[in-house]
Amino acid sequence: MPASMSMEWHGNNSSVTIFILLGLSDEKELQLIFFPVFLGIYFITLIWNLGLILLIWMDSHLHTPMYFFLSSLSFVDICYSSSTSPRMLSDFLKNEKNISFIACATQYFFVAWMALTEFCLLAAMAYDRYVAIGHPLQYSNIMAPGLCVKMVAGAFVSGFLSSLSETLSFLNLSFCGPNVIQHFFCDLPQIVSLSCSKPLISQIIVILVAVIIVLGSLLIVLLSYGFIATSILKLSSGKGSAKAFNTCASHLAAVTLYYGTDISVYLCPKSSQSMKEDKILSVFYVIIIPMLNPLIYSLRNKEIKAALNRLKKKATGLPQLT
């Protein structure tokens, strides 16, 4: 029996044991072009994010709540990209892109865990920026190390439990017909569409997670930036207003990119044409954004640049100015 029809038989019923990931393209020539491109993107993602984590860890000047959240975001981005990129890269070199039922569920679990954790972290970072700009004198007391650790731990636990609930609902579905996933990774909407059982429970869980985690974190972000805007307008100094805006401009850019692409993929009405668009947007938020985040947060960041200069001087043995 061909892999595309791999099933187990139970009396008069059958269940799919193998899925096929269609990938970004079924043209072999394009796949051979994609391989070095996405391999380079994956390596850059690992190097930039790991480099940022190490820089923050090594430089005591960056041991602040903002950079603690940023290093946590970089860790999530490494895991996020690693949950899809290695599999996608190996599939570029394969003729048959088979993935077992359990492997598919496992991949989705890790993809969803990191994606949902990132939503929570972005909300925590928005709150951190609000406290820094709206309550600068109380900032160190409010954003104490203990609270920051709890916020990051809460983000990971929230993402874990939400992803686990979605994955368990996926495992309870029955698959007895088509098994071709129109994607380059196992994504729940595409998997649910292949089910031959009623996916009502899965759909309810997905909606609840979207409302609580995605829209809930978006509400926190919007409220935080609403208060930030109010605080900036109260500043009498134009220079002070510009400085306050610059401290949250990079985070605002990251939030816009991440929420914008996710909402476009999962909340907009679907059509046959939009499936191709969804693949492109999915590449952007799963593969490209984890690579761009360290660049977005570091490009115009004077503290990161100063930390790099200190590291260079330390490495070359030059005296450091305090």
Side-chain angles (χ1 to χ4, degrees):
M1 183 176 291
S4 61
M5 296 297 291
S6 180
M7 298 179 178
E8 286 182 356
W9 293 87
H10 305 281
N12 294 326
N13 298 319
S14 61
S15 60
V16 171
T17 59
I18 298 291
F19 289 110
I20 296 177
L21 291 169
L22 197 62
L24 292 177
S25 173
D26 55 3
E27 295 181 22
K28 194 63 182 177
E29 294 79 9
L30 273 178
Q31 292 176 34
L32 293 175
I33 294 171
F34 285 154
F35 179 79
V37 171
F38 284 97
L39 181 63
I41 290 172
Y42 182 52
F43 278 138
I44 291 171
T45 301
L46 295 179
I47 292 168
W48 283 359
N49 281 288
L50 186 58
L52 188 57
I53 291 171
L54 290 173
L55 181 66
I56 292 169
W57 177 67
M58 293 171 66
D59 195 300
S60 60
H61 293 84
L62 301 181
H63 292 177
T64 64
M66 183 176 78
Y67 292 106
F68 175 66
F69 289 126
L70 184 54
S71 61
S72 300
L73 182 65
S74 288
F75 176 75
V76 168
D77 281 338
I78 288 172
C79 297
Y80 196 9
S81 184
S82 297
S83 65
T84 57
S85 291
R87 175 84 204 190
M88 181 180 66
L89 289 167
S90 66
D91 282 347
F92 285 144
L93 306 177
K94 294 178 182 177
N95 291 323
E96 293 187 354
K97 304 170 185 179
N98 303 332
I99 184 169
S100 69
F101 181 85
I102 295 300
C104 193
T106 303
Q107 185 190 52
Y108 177 74
F109 169 75
F110 282 103
V111 170
W113 183 9
M114 293 303 111
L116 295 168
T117 299
E118 185 147 341
F119 280 117
C120 297
L121 276 178
L122 289 172
M125 293 170 77
Y127 176 74
D128 172 69
R129 290 300 82 207
Y130 156 65
V131 176
I133 295 170
H135 305 279
L137 298 179
Q138 293 84 34
Y139 178 71
S140 58
N141 291 327
I142 296 173
M143 299 304 295
L147 176 62
C148 295
V149 170
K150 288 176 183 177
M151 290 173 75
V152 170
F156 276 94
V157 171
S158 298
F160 176 85
L161 293 177
S162 301
S163 176
L164 183 63
S165 64
E166 290 186 342
T167 305
L168 290 176
S169 74
F170 158 43
L171 292 173
N172 287 323
L173 295 174
S174 298
F175 299 90
C176 52
N179 65 337
V180 178
I181 299 173
Q182 304 282 336
H183 221 308
F184 63 90
F185 71 96
C186 292
D187 200 13
L188 196 58
Q190 280 74 28
I191 297 169
V192 167
S193 67
L194 300 176
S195 173
C196 56
S197 58
K198 292 183 179 179
L200 180 61
I201 294 176
S202 291
Q203 291 171 339
I204 290 173
I205 291 174
V206 169
I207 291 170
L208 285 174
V209 169
V211 170
I212 296 170
I213 301 294
V214 181
L215 297 183
S217 63
L218 180 60
L219 180 62
I220 293 172
V221 170
L222 292 175
L223 286 173
S224 296
Y225 276 103
F227 289 127
I228 286 171
T230 303
S231 298
I232 290 175
L233 290 173
K234 289 179 181 178
L235 294 175
S236 57
S237 168
K239 188 177 180 180
S241 300
K243 184 179 179 181
F245 177 77
N246 285 334
T247 60
C248 57
S250 57
H251 180 256
L252 189 58
V255 164
T256 303
L257 285 173
Y258 191 65
Y259 278 89
T261 51
D262 267 279
I263 289 172
S264 297
V265 170
Y266 294 106
L267 298 184
C268 292
K270 304 300 173 194
S271 65
S272 58
Q273 181 63 28
S274 70
M275 289 298 295
K276 293 181 180 179
E277 296 171 1
D278 282 357
K279 281 187 186 181
I280 296 171
L281 289 171
S282 296
V283 166
F284 198 78
Y285 76 78
V286 178
I287 306 294
I288 304 299
I289 287 179
M291 179 188 70
L292 291 179
N293 273 341
L295 187 64
I296 291 171
Y297 284 101
S298 304
L299 196 60
R300 297 181 61 189
N301 190 311
K302 293 180 180 179
E303 292 175 329
I304 293 287
K305 290 178 180 178
L308 283 171
N309 288 330
R310 285 191 293 269
L311 185 63
K312 288 176 185 177
K313 289 176 180 179
K314 189 176 180 179
T316 55
L318 294 174
Q320 298 181 46
L321 298 175
T322 56

